[in-house]
């Protein structure tokens, strides 16, 4: 969706939408009752998501659901252009839940912990690799762009309010806090911290391991399990050579070979002593010493969208003045202010929005609409088709209006399909 048509820029009911189709070009679709936004959230739009967290720059490119679908913020942007408000920022930036996740699959771009692309998928050519599932993070060390460790590899992602996470939990009881244990998981924050080079964004994170780890994990290191062609997996017989090979789109600085060698040597000494003097990894178990050596993409994954358009209990979109935008609804991850995500939220809000929208009057049921001749030119043209007919059927009257105003006649590719 590229645009929402409204009677005026920030007033009146919604009239319809403009969309770009994968085949066939752009098309305008008239709304006889209402428009429901269900475009799937915003975390795939880098500039949009950086409003909430400036660290989430381009290298966080493995968004869950991609490459099949992208949360591109198109619905939010179109609604904001006609006055809609955003909502639920704290739910997006709070360090809880799955806004950002630690990967469970390494060596591939699309490495969300609860989703794995398999070769049987009809879109596997876009995903390119399934990734290597990490059963035990003792088998790898994680390093940043400079080849330096940054945290205990066994550390988790942000905590969540999961079932039984608080012993003897009582609904609504303030004493629950006293029964909770403060144990923050900061692997994500450490990974996002960067390398002090003046850039936001932590850059790629690489899981470094040897052939011993491959045997313990039972990994297969050829495509389609790893993505070698796109630069998400590297191998070499020497650590220094491995560091030199790590060249790809998001690795903005070369990895110094000496740094990686020093990091591995220091970690191996921790295995010998049984104590991780840097990050308290519980009893480091395995030396990294058996070539070949490997570097697999292990960068955090941006996932849930929990900030979005402000809606009321019937899923009507609210503007910056706290007023309903007539004829505009929103549900799912495009709507803001909810901790729930995924299919349950989409289904529930889709039902609520659909039922409410179905109860809207037809467009002829708005007696207080101004004369279309007084509307902005785009909206006036859009309203001139009183019935859901193809654009070409009302092209003569549109062209006449443009001639009267001394404007060029250019349909801009609109009208390759029917509007509803």
């Amino acid at each position: 969706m590229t645009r929402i048509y409204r009677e005026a820029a920030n007033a009146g009911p919604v009239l319809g939408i403009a969309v770009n189709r994968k085949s066939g070009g752009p098309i305008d679709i008239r709304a006889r009752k209402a428009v429901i936004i269900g475009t799937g959230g915003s975390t795939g739009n880098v500039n949009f998501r950086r409003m909430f967290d400036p660290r989430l720059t381009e290298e966080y490119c493995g968004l869950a659901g991609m490459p099949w679908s992208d949360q591109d913020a198109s619905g939010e942007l179109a609604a904001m252009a006609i006055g809609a408000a955003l909502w639920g920022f704290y739910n997006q930036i709070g360090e809880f839940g799955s806004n950002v996740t630690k990967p469970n699959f390494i060596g591939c771009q699309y490495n969300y912990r609860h989703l794995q692309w398999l070769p049987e998928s009809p879109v596997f050519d876009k995903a390119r690799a399934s990734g290597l599932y990490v059963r035990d993070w003792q088998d790898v060390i994680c390093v940043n762009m400079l080849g330096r460790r940054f945290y205990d590899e066994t550390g988790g992602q942000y905590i969540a309010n999961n079932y039984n996470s608080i012993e003897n939990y009582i609904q609504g009881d303030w004493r629950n806090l006293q029964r909770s244990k403060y144990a923050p998981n900061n692997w994500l924050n450490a990974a996002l911290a960067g390398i002090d080079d003046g850039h936001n964004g932590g850059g790629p994170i690489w899981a470094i391991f040897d052939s011993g780890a491959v045997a313990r994990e039972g990994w297969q290191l050829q495509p389609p399990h790893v993505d070698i062609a796109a630069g998400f997996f590297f191998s070499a017989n020497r650590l220094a050579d491995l560091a030199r090979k790590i060249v790809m789109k998001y690795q903005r600085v070369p990895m110094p070979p000496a740094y990686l060698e020093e990091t591995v040597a220091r970690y191996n000494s921790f295995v010998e002593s049984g104590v991780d003097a840097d990050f308290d990894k519980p009893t480091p178990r395995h030396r990294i010493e058996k070539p070949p050596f490997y570097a697999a993409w292990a960068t955090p994954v941006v996932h849930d969208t929990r900030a979005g358009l402000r809606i009321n209990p019937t899923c009507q979109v609210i503007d910056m003045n706290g007023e309903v935008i007539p004829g505009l609804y929103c549900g799912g991850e495009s709507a803001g202010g909810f901790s729930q995500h995924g299919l349950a939220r989409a289904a529930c809000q889709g039902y609520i929005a659909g039922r409410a929208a179905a109860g809207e009057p037809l467009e002829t049921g708005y007696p207080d609409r101004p004369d279309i001749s007084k509307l902005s030119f785009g909206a006036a043209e859009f309203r001139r088709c009183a019935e859901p007919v193809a654009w070409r059927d009302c092209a003569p009257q549109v062209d006449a209006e443009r001639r009267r105003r001394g404007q060029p006649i250019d349909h801009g590719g609109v009208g390759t399909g029917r509007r509803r």
Side-chain angles (χ1 to χ4, degrees):
M1 180 166 62
T2 60
R3 179 179 177 183
I4 297 174
Y5 291 99
R6 194 175 181 186
E7 207 164 48
N10 290 291
V14 164
L15 307 175
I17 63 173
V19 299
N20 279 333
R21 297 176 295 174
K22 290 183 178 179
S23 61
I27 184 174
D28 285 348
I29 304 174
R30 199 188 80 201
R32 301 200 66 194
K33 289 195 172 186
V35 167
I36 302 175
I37 299 172
T39 49
S42 61
T43 50
N45 186 315
V46 174
N47 288 321
F48 199 97
R49 74 193 186 200
R50 291 190 68 207
M51 291 193 297
F52 313 119
D53 190 338
R55 300 174 299 176
L56 298 179
T57 46
E58 292 81 0
E59 65 268 35
Y60 303 103
C61 60
L63 178 70
M66 288 178 69
W68 172 250
S69 62
D70 185 10
Q71 298 187 37
D72 62 2
S74 59
E76 291 91 323
L77 291 169
M80 290 166 63
I82 61 166
L86 294 178
W87 209 246
F89 281 31
Y90 176 70
N91 283 354
Q92 195 69 46
I93 64 174
E95 294 182 3
F96 52 84
S98 297
N99 301 335
V100 183
T101 72
K102 181 181 180 181
N104 269 3
F105 299 93
I106 61 176
C108 61
Q109 178 176 359
Y110 304 106
N111 54 353
Y112 176 52
R113 58 193 292 113
H114 298 310
L115 183 150
Q116 184 181 32
W117 290 102
L118 298 177
E120 295 80 11
S121 168
V123 295
F124 190 76
D125 62 311
K126 297 179 176 63
R128 302 185 305 274
S130 297
L132 308 173
Y133 177 73
V134 182
R135 291 181 299 176
D136 187 355
W137 286 91
Q138 288 278 4
D139 283 323
V140 308
I141 62 171
C142 291
V143 303
N144 60 21
M145 287 187 293
L146 298 180
R148 301 295 199 189
R149 291 179 69 220
F150 54 87
Y151 201 72
D152 164 21
E153 288 79 9
T154 66
Q157 60 187 53
Y158 296 144
I159 59 174
N161 216 2
N162 294 327
Y163 175 70
N164 274 344
S165 61
I166 299 177
E167 186 177 355
N168 299 321
Y169 178 82
I170 300 174
Q171 176 69 31
D173 190 344
W174 62 270
R175 298 175 184 85
N176 291 325
L177 185 60
Q178 294 180 336
R179 292 188 283 271
S180 66
K181 179 182 178 181
Y182 180 69
N185 297 321
N186 271 325
W187 188 93
L188 287 170
N189 282 328
L192 291 165
I195 58 172
D196 295 326
D197 64 346
H199 288 266
N200 276 311
I205 301 301
W206 299 100
I208 306 296
F209 54 95
D210 66 359
S211 58
V214 175
R216 290 189 297 272
E217 291 277 350
W219 287 329
Q220 299 181 58
L221 304 185
Q222 304 79 30
H225 305 284
V226 293
D227 190 352
I228 298 172
F232 292 88
F233 187 82
F234 300 92
S235 64
N237 286 323
R238 298 173 62 247
L239 286 168
D241 292 336
L242 181 64
R244 294 186 186 98
K245 281 189 173 183
I246 299 175
V247 177
M248 55 94 71
K249 178 179 179 180
Y250 300 109
Q251 180 81 12
R252 64 177 178 263
V253 298
M255 182 180 292
Y259 283 14
L260 183 59
E261 289 178 321
E262 292 168 6
T263 295
V264 171
R266 181 169 176 80
Y267 181 78
N268 287 344
S269 73
F270 296 157
V271 175
E272 293 301 313
S273 67
V275 177
D276 179 356
D278 291 337
F279 300 107
D280 287 334
K281 186 175 184 175
T283 315
R285 297 176 190 168
H286 308 294
R287 291 174 60 88
I288 300 173
E289 59 184 359
K290 298 178 182 179
F293 301 101
Y294 303 95
W297 181 265
T299 304
V301 183
V302 184
H303 181 32
D304 295 347
T305 298
R306 299 186 179 188
L309 298 175
R310 182 182 179 184
I311 61 173
N312 66 13
T314 56
C315 293
Q316 292 175 292
V317 176
I318 306 299
D319 68 15
M320 293 297 294
N321 296 316
E323 301 294 333
V324 167
I325 297 178
L328 187 61
Y329 295 79
C330 180
E333 295 202 5
S334 298
F338 299 86
S339 291
Q340 179 56 272
H341 72 284
L343 293 177
R345 171 174 163 189
C348 291
Q349 291 182 335
Y351 174 80
I352 294 169
R355 183 169 182 173
E360 291 270 10
L362 293 175
E363 64 170 357
T364 55
Y366 289 105
D368 56 340
R369 285 188 176 184
D371 186 337
I372 60 173
S373 64
K374 295 183 174 63
L375 301 180
S376 64
F377 184 38
E381 287 181 328
F382 196 81
R383 284 289 316 283
R384 283 188 181 278
C385 287
E387 297 299 328
V389 297
W391 178 273
R392 61 180 177 271
D393 295 335
C394 61
Q397 57 192 10
V398 171
D399 292 348
E401 178 71 13
R402 285 177 170 165
R403 288 191 191 95
R404 187 180 71 79
R405 297 177 182 230
Q407 295 182 336
I409 298 173
D410 179 7
H411 298 159
V414 176
T416 54
R418 295 182 66 82
R419 294 180 295 162
R420 299 171 178 81

